[in-house]
Amino acid sequence: MPSTLPLVTDARVAAADTLADLRTGLLLDAAFDRRAAALDARDRRWTQELVWGMLRKRGWIDYLLAPRVRGGLARLDSDLADLLRLGVYQLFHMGSVPAYAAIAQTVEIAKQRHGMGASKLVNAVLRRLDRERDALGADLPADPVEALAIEHSHPRWLVARWVARWGADETKALLEANNREAPLIVRPWGIVREQLEAMLETSGVHVSDAPLVEDSMLLAPGTVITSLGAFQQGRCFVQDPAATLVTRYAAIPAGAQVADLCAAPGGKSVELSRTAAHVTAADSSESRLTRVIETIQRLELENVDPVMADARDGTLGEFDAVLVDAPCTGTGTFRRHPDARWRLRTSDLAVMSAAQRAVLRGAAKCVKPGGLLIYSTCSLEPEENDVQVESFLADHPGWTLEPPPAGTVPDSVLDAGRLRVLPQRHGADGSFAARLRRGMEA
């Protein structure tokens, strides 16, 4: 397919191509960076708003489309279905796009990619939706879980799990949090917060307080972080408070030898290096380790060394403290990764749980007698969090759960000695951590 189509904006082509990459298994950030690289800053931002926004609304959009596409969406070519979704999102959720432009551009790109018949279908469906816009949404299912799932655009099975755990009202708050644009939050490096704030304000970037972590700062929407002098000079790095709190909860003793397993993209290694004598930042993926190396170089970290290693092996040596940020379903980060909710399957919980058990066992082998093991995820699911910790403690006599010293993190994010950050309660990404102490004889 040509990279630029007659009469179709480059931004819309980039959006469609990004979604095509997602269908091959590529993750959203990587797909977007690949397809939007040639766009200017304004078009890149517009394309990101379209793609991320559509994915956050995809369940609702499909609910609108299904009865208006003869035979249902499933009978359509997957690319054509995604073009329709992009058209609907522009039609109803992008105030900068007039209805005629949303329809005409979607019809044209459908014609270019799938032929005249497809373009006629797109034209008919979008025009019908435009005519019926005032009546849309009046016929939600009577089943409250189904209605929540459709209205807030999440898989029904996941909504059902959350309603059983938290109730309908709190689940609705979580779904709403997941559908908000993720904020850009930075932390100072080598300078104090006030100095970083002055640098950013000089660059024309308005900052405000981030939740839960006093020296983190929320940047204005649309800020291109890589263009800022403070970022280029290594004076700040991006990190959500949920991730910062994991390292604070860890309460690593000053001067410790620390291993950060599953370290990419490297933000937790940076935080650990503030007090540790040395941090070994390990990851099993060469491409992901490259991101750690880039962070080390940009911030000029002298006490962090990147290492290619698999956390399951337990062969890195012994450390005073080990942080293992285990691979997980990522249900706490749906606002950042709206594609993840549509990839996730119920079977993934079992697959991830097995992988986490192996990672936790391997990480434990790297902890010195008397040392600390901090297990963390960005998942909200019990199978990946509390169940893993209880299973590990049952299988490893001599290890105990040890809460951090009082005042290390806000009391609001502590639950029975474990860190539990919830998007609907704390205004941050979701995260979990448990601080485990190895006995001298274990």
Side-chain angles (χ1 to χ4, degrees), residues 15-20 22-23 28 46-62 65 73 78-91 93-94 152-154 179 338-339 341-342:
D17 288 344
T18 297
L19 295 176
L22 293 188
R23 295 194 300 274
L28 180 54
W46 188 92
T47 306
Q48 187 171 31
E49 179 188 350
L50 172 58
V51 173
W52 267 252
M54 186 281 280
L55 289 168
R56 290 188 183 110
K57 294 283 188 181
R58 201 187 91 171
W60 171 248
I61 290 171
D62 285 3
L65 285 172
L73 279 177
S78 297
D79 187 68
L80 183 58
D82 274 340
L83 294 180
L84 268 173
R85 291 170 177 136
L86 291 172
V88 174
Y89 188 80
Q90 293 171 66
L91 198 58
H93 300 288
M94 295 189 77
H152 298 283
S153 208
H154 281 66
N179 285 337
D339 55 320
R341 70 182 76 170
W342 305 117

Side-chain angles (χ1 to χ4, degrees), residues 62 65-77 81 84 121:
D62 285 3
L65 285 172
R68 294 168 176 86
V69 174
R70 186 176 299 169
L73 279 177
R75 79 168 183 85
L76 296 183
D77 178 274
L84 268 173
L121 180 148

Side-chain angles (χ1 to χ4, degrees), residues 367-386:
V367 180
K368 290 179 180 178
L372 283 170
L373 171 60
I374 299 89
Y375 172 79
S376 75
T377 77
C378 56
S379 171
L380 306 178
E381 310 316 309
E383 296 95 324
E384 301 182 88
N385 296 335
D386 300 273

Side-chain angles (χ1 to χ4, degrees), residues 11 23 47 57 74 93 109 126 156 164 168 171 186 240 254 272 300 303-304 323 326 355 360 365 380 403 418 427 432:
R23 295 194 300 274
T47 306
K57 294 283 188 181
H93 300 288
I109 195 171
L126 293 184
R156 187 193 187 284
T171 297
V186 296
D240 189 85
L272 293 171
E300 298 181 348
N303 64 335
V304 180
L323 169 64
L360 198 45
K365 296 175 184 176
L380 306 178
R418 302 160 203 205
F432 170 88

Side-chain angles (χ1 to χ4, degrees), residues 270-292:
V270 176
E271 283 297 312
L272 293 171
S273 75
R274 294 184 191 271
T275 54
H278 184 268
V279 177
T280 299
D283 206 279
S284 61
S285 163
E286 184 175 0
S287 61
R288 286 174 58 80
L289 194 65
T290 299
R291 297 180 64 191
V292 178

Side-chain angles (χ1 to χ4, degrees), residues 341-352:
R341 70 182 76 170
W342 305 117
R343 287 197 314 271
L344 198 60
R345 300 289 180 267
T346 52
S347 58
D348 292 335
L349 286 169
V351 172
M352 282 297 180

Side-chain angles (χ1 to χ4, degrees), residues 216-231:
S216 290
M217 284 177 286
L218 175 66
L219 304 192
T223 301
V224 181
I225 184 70
T226 53
S227 69
L228 299 179
F231 183 85

Side-chain angles (χ1 to χ4, degrees), residues 100-115:
Y100 73 84
I103 295 170
Q105 286 278 299
T106 309
V107 167
E108 183 61 31
I109 195 171
K111 178 181 175 183
Q112 292 286 338
R113 294 166 85 103
H114 300 284

